[in-house]
Amino acid sequence: MASLPFDDLDPDFESGPPTTAEEYLRRVRWEAKKYPDVMSASTTETHPEDPRAQIFEEVNRRTSLAGDETQLSLRPDWIAAFEGWFCEQRARLRTQRSQVTQVANASTESSVEPVDWFSE
């Protein structure tokens, strides 16, 4: 169901950018007709460079072992990689926090006098 009555003419792409709202809507509707009503994408792709993806893969692997107690300890190389990533994130957060604090302190220490724009 269309929200506005509109002609079904093909858009004129050779004339350059649309110059009217009607021409713009023609182009939008023409483009929309080329795609299905529902689109879907696979969500199974993981990013191995993201430590969170590694954590989920490790948890999934460990829960699938169900009962093999020898497999329930973390690998030392994984622990070292995660600790390194965590320390980098903590250092980045400290830097950002100190920058925000400096900006906030500088703005409160400003000696600019307020201006009364409405006084005569």
Side-chain angles (χ1 to χ4, degrees):
M1 177 182 215
S3 58
L4 297 172
F6 198 71
D7 61 34
D8 287 333
L9 300 174
D10 286 338
D12 181 19
F13 288 106
E14 295 173 2
S15 66
T19 55
T20 65
E22 290 81 13
E23 180 62 25
Y24 175 78
L25 289 175
R26 265 190 217 104
R27 291 180 186 197
V28 169
R29 289 188 182 178
W30 182 84
E31 189 80 20
K33 287 179 186 177
K34 296 183 350 181
Y35 297 106
D37 291 337
V38 176
M39 298 183 78
S40 62
S42 173
T43 59
T44 59
E45 182 179 325
T46 60
H47 302 284
E49 67 276 357
D50 186 359
R52 293 172 294 184
Q54 293 173 356
I55 292 169
F56 289 125
E57 289 171 8
E58 188 73 16
V59 167
N60 288 337
R61 186 183 70 77
R62 287 165 189 257
T63 55
S64 68
L65 296 174
D68 186 1
E69 298 294 326
T70 61
Q71 296 293 325
L72 295 179
S73 61
L74 293 173
R75 295 188 324 253
D77 60 331
W78 184 87
I79 292 172
F82 182 77
E83 285 176 348
W85 173 83
F86 186 81
C87 288
E88 288 173 9
Q89 298 304 314
R90 186 171 43 192
R92 185 177 299 146
L93 180 61
R94 281 187 188 141
T95 302
Q96 290 174 350
R97 187 178 293 158
S98 69
Q99 290 171 349
V100 167
T101 303
Q102 289 172 357
V103 169
N105 289 340
S107 66
T108 58
E109 295 172 359
S110 177
S111 62
V112 175
E113 294 294 324
V115 176
D116 184 7
W117 297 101
F118 300 105
S119 66
E120 293 181 12

